[in-house]
């Protein structure tokens, strides 16, 4: 990590102060919308929305399916802020930039972060269209030192060595499954392990087999750094992967 990649506490604070000067909403919940899932933000009532390009200090989204807007509003009686578009490492952002909004959310007073993503399935029981409640993750970039928490620790946000063993809140996972049962959609949902890889290419068959043998149920190119930064600063996290495709694991199935 280079010192030019560091972001000072003041920079996060300036962005949070600017947002608080532009909207009366004070969100308790932040939602990061994954690829193709941005329409969730459109359901918020009493919206105030801001293009990322207008928000001081905010990175810019470069990926199709990520509108690049921060939307504040009410969802089922809770004040929320939604990211319509996230930042990925493969776009060329530093990991601190990809997770910049999470610390801004913390400074806005957010207590719960909901992360969503589009992911490929490795588990035989997860089909396209299913939803995986993330119970844990394997942060492949993080395991080799590509971690937003590398560099000087900002003690105002959290400790040098944060625990990650409970980073996907168990109560929220149980509640989600209960609600899915009540709605009659429990058959489409199951818990599983998400792995983040760097991308932007999809997996080779050998890589897919390796991930499967390691116990990974779904794979994508996001989420883990956001969850690490959120857990570091004490946010409660809930995560969902929308399964968009089966990852090819067999040479017979390859084209
Ligand atoms: O994780 P989200 O942002 O949903 O996007 C997923 O979809 C893209 C690939 O189609 C990758 O960016 C992958 O991570
Ligand atoms: N790495 C990876 N990311 C995805 N995002 C959506 N599908 C996939 C996939 O199959 N692999």
């Amino acid at each position: 990590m280079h010192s030019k990649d560091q972001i000072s506490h003041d920079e996060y604070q300036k962005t949070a102060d600017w947002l608080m000067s532009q909207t009366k909403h004070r969100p308790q919940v932040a939602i990061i919308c994954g690829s193709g899932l941005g329409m969730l933000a459109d359901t918020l009532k009493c919206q105030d929305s801001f293009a990322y390009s207008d928000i001081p200090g905010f990175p810019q989204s470069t990926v199709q399916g990520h509108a690049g807007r921060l939307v504040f509003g009410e969802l089922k009686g809770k004040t929320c802020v939604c990211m319509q578009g996230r930042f990925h490492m493969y776009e060329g952002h530093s990991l601190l930039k990809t997770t910049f909004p999470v610390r801004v959310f913390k400074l806005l007073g957010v207590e719960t972060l909901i992360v969503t993503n589009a992911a490929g399935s490795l588990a035989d029981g997860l089909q396209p269209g299913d939803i995986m409640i993330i119970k844990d993750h394997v942060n492949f970039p993080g395991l080799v030192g590509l971690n937003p928490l590398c560099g000087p620790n900002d003690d105002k946000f959290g400790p040098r060595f944060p625990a990650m063993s409970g980073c996907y809140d168990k109560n929220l996972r149980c509640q989600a499954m209960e609600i899915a049962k009540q709605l009659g959609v429990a058959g489409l949902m199951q818990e599983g392990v998400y792995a983040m890889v760097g991308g932007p290419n999809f997996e080779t068959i050998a890589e897919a087999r390796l991930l499967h043998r390691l116990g990974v149920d779904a794979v994508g190119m996001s989420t883990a750094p956001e969850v690490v930064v959120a857990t570091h600063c004490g946010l409660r996290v809930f995560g969902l992967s929308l399964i968009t495709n089966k990852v090819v694991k067999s040479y017979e199935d390859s084209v």
Side-chain angles (χ1 to χ4, degrees):
M1 157 130 1
H2 303 289
S3 56
K4 68 177 170 51
D5 293 334
Q6 289 302 310
I7 299 175
S8 70
H9 204 88
D10 272 2
E11 289 174 80
Y12 295 109
Q13 191 67 59
K14 269 188 195 142
T15 302
D17 288 347
W18 184 87
L19 287 165
M20 285 193 280
S21 74
Q22 302 292 312
T23 177
K24 291 204 163 47
H25 289 299
R26 294 292 177 264
Q28 305 148 273
V29 177
I31 305 173
I32 302 181
C33 302
S35 289
L37 297 166
M39 66 288 206
L40 178 64
D42 299 330
T43 65
L44 298 192
K45 304 255 183 331
C46 312
Q47 288 189 14
D48 279 335
S49 81
F50 306 93
Y52 293 164
S53 52
D54 292 336
I55 306 173
F58 234 69
Q60 304 307 310
S61 193
T62 67
V63 189
Q64 252 191 358
H66 292 257
R69 274 194 321 155
L70 200 57
V71 184
F72 290 77
E74 305 287 328
L75 186 63
K76 306 261 177 202
K78 293 259 185 234
T79 306
C80 299
V81 54
C82 269
M83 283 180 73
Q84 260 186 336
R86 63 148 54 84
F87 310 111
H88 304 87
M89 197 174 86
Y90 64 75
E91 294 175 71
H93 300 295
S94 73
L95 282 165
L96 265 184
K97 277 276 179 190
T98 69
T99 55
F100 182 86
V102 175
R103 285 182 164 177
V104 171
F105 296 154
K106 175 72 184 179
L107 296 175
L108 291 177
V110 163
E111 290 164 2
T112 304
L113 175 70
I114 300 179
V115 284
T116 67
N117 58 54
S121 155
L122 293 146
D124 295 334
L126 274 174
Q127 307 303 329
D130 287 354
I131 293 171
M132 186 182 85
I133 298 173
I134 306 176
K135 83 167 171 215
D136 203 350
H137 72 221
V138 182
N139 179 7
F140 278 102
L143 290 178
V144 295
L146 288 170
N147 186 319
L149 300 181
C150 284
N153 184 55
D154 188 338
D155 296 334
K156 288 189 193 147
F157 281 117
R160 171 78 288 186
F161 300 111
M164 288 292 143
S165 47
C167 58
Y168 294 90
D169 187 88
K170 200 170 179 178
N171 285 332
L172 291 177
R173 287 191 276 126
C174 291
Q175 272 184 48
M177 207 32 125
E178 275 312 307
I179 292 167
K181 281 182 194 152
Q182 286 163 22
L183 294 174
V185 295
L188 296 176
M189 295 183 74
Q190 60 182 277
E191 285 200 341
V193 174
Y194 174 87
M196 180 204 177
V197 295
N201 61 281
F202 293 117
E203 291 63 42
T204 64
I205 291 171
E207 287 164 351
R209 289 178 169 196
L210 174 75
L211 292 171
H212 184 53
R213 282 190 194 143
L214 289 176
V216 172
D217 299 301
V219 59
M221 308 169 196
S222 70
T223 303
E226 296 152 1
V227 172
V228 165
V229 167
T231 304
H232 176 249
C233 67
L235 295 182
R236 196 163 70 137
V237 175
F238 176 69
L240 292 174
S241 291
L242 172 63
I243 303 301
T244 51
N245 59 286
K246 301 271 300 177
V247 182
V248 179
K249 296 198 297 264
S250 142
Y251 290 98
E252 285 73 51
D253 294 340
S254 68
V255 281

